[in-house]
Amino acid sequence: MKNKLKRAVIIAATGVSIAFTTAAAARADEFINVLTGGTSGVYYPLGVALSKIYGEKIAGSRTQVQATKASVENLNLLQQGRGEIAFALGDSVKLAAEGNAEAGFKAPLDKLRGIAAIYPNYIQIMASKESGIATLADFKGKSLSVGAPKSGTELNARAILVAAGMSYDDLGKTEYLPFAESVELMKNRQLDATLQSAGLGVSSFKDLATSLDVQMVSVPEDIATKLGAPYIAATVPAGTYQGQDKDVPTVAVVNFLVTHSEVSDETAYQMTKQLFENLPAMVAAHKAAEQIDLKEALNGMPIPLHPGAERYYKEKGLL
């Protein structure tokens, strides 16, 4: 009887030990949800690459990639703790920190923390040749897709039109559609043009340029001057898209990787470190990543750095 009781106590104690070990292991797992954008944009393939890097290089991590409506949705999800790292446009990050309601932020998003400035998004406007659109002024009375509602792209579109002395009211029709859907409407000749804020060589425009006679619409340098930071004058180099035989002036805005204050310092440190130590894998996913540069990682950061990211930059002598 005593031996049976002793065995029962040992079994019970072992069960408690196993349960405790399992719970500890569960706590040790670090879940990293990477918030991106539409699957036909640049954020998504880069997010897939980043997720794979983190899954392989950050011990105990479990990763997931989430397609979203991009910048504005991503920042709101971070504030709610529903993601660990996100891609976002610099102007969206700035407006989120300020709590700009018109941009889609009901209150200041005070939990946002910076990881790194990455590559610039180029504001690229492609119109069908038959539409006759060659300049911003030509958009009066024409149809234009400005990106998903309240997305970073849509905020860019609104800002550029205002700087050009126009608004959506001047357009014949305004469509609020993600990249791929905009391209499909243009292919079906139901839309004159689409504005997309993305890295150079975005797949949706590559697809459109091989399917339809199109032309890039220039955004003159004075628009960048009127807009000011975080916008800068930029150029879409000749040959970026089929049939584009000359450089096209435009504006660009820097993208950022952003996290939130409840992500642990060690995880934020590793997310920053593994990004910069595995850039070839990012470039393999999309050539926009060729412009990610450690020396530029802190340029124009509109929100406080996460302490974990700060630790990495101190190690590298940038702080």
Side-chain angles (χ1 to χ4, degrees), residues 95-106:
L95 293 170
E98 295 169 354
N100 187 304
E102 188 177 347
F105 307 107
K106 295 178 181 177

Side-chain angles (χ1 to χ4, degrees), residues 154-166:
E154 198 260 314
L155 295 182
N156 294 161
R158 193 181 309 208
I160 285 167
L161 287 176
V162 168
M166 299 170 65

Side-chain angles (χ1 to χ4, degrees), residues 162-181:
V162 168
M166 299 170 65
S167 73
Y168 292 163
D169 292 339
D170 293 303
L171 303 175
K173 187 178 183 182
T174 307
E175 295 282 3
Y176 299 87
L177 296 170
F179 295 177
E181 286 86 338

Side-chain angles (χ1 to χ4, degrees), residues 2 11 42 72 80 88 93 117 119 123 151 160 192 205 237 289 302 314:
K2 285 182 180 179
I11 290 169
V42 177
V72 176
Q80 298 160 20
V93 178
Y119 65 93
I123 314 306
S151 65
I160 285 167
D192 292 319
F205 270 7
K314 283 179 179 176

Side-chain angles (χ1 to χ4, degrees), residues 60-82:
S61 68
R62 294 180 298 121
T63 61
Q64 172 183 302
V65 180
Q66 183 175 339
T68 68
K69 293 177 182 176
S71 299
V72 176
E73 182 180 7
N74 288 353
L75 296 168
N76 281 312
L77 288 171
L78 284 179
Q79 179 74 13
Q80 298 160 20
R82 294 168 60 191

Side-chain angles (χ1 to χ4, degrees), residues 32-35 50 54 78 83-86 115 257-259 271:
I32 301 174
N33 186 23
V34 182
L35 304 172
L50 199 59
Y54 290 166
L78 284 179
E84 282 62 51
I85 191 165
I115 291 290
L257 281 171
V258 183
T259 187
M271 290 195 302

Side-chain angles (χ1 to χ4, degrees), residues 103-188:
F105 307 107
K106 295 178 181 177
L109 305 191
D110 59 351
K111 293 182 180 179
L112 300 181
R113 298 292 183 270
I115 291 290
I118 43 175
Y119 65 93
N121 253 27
Y122 291 75
I123 314 306
Q124 301 166 75
I125 309 173
M126 195 171 273
S128 65
K129 282 195 175 175
E130 65 184 28
S131 72
I133 299 170
T135 69
L136 293 176
D138 295 332
F139 274 110
K140 290 186 177 179
K142 304 290 186 177
S143 57
L144 173 68
S145 178
V146 295
K150 303 289 186 184
S151 65
T153 292
E154 198 260 314
L155 295 182
N156 294 161
R158 193 181 309 208
I160 285 167
L161 287 176
V162 168
M166 299 170 65
S167 73
Y168 292 163
D169 292 339
D170 293 303
L171 303 175
K173 187 178 183 182
T174 307
E175 295 282 3
Y176 299 87
L177 296 170
F179 295 177
E181 286 86 338
S182 301
V183 165
E184 288 307 310
L185 280 187
M186 286 190 68
K187 285 181 184 178
N188 295 328

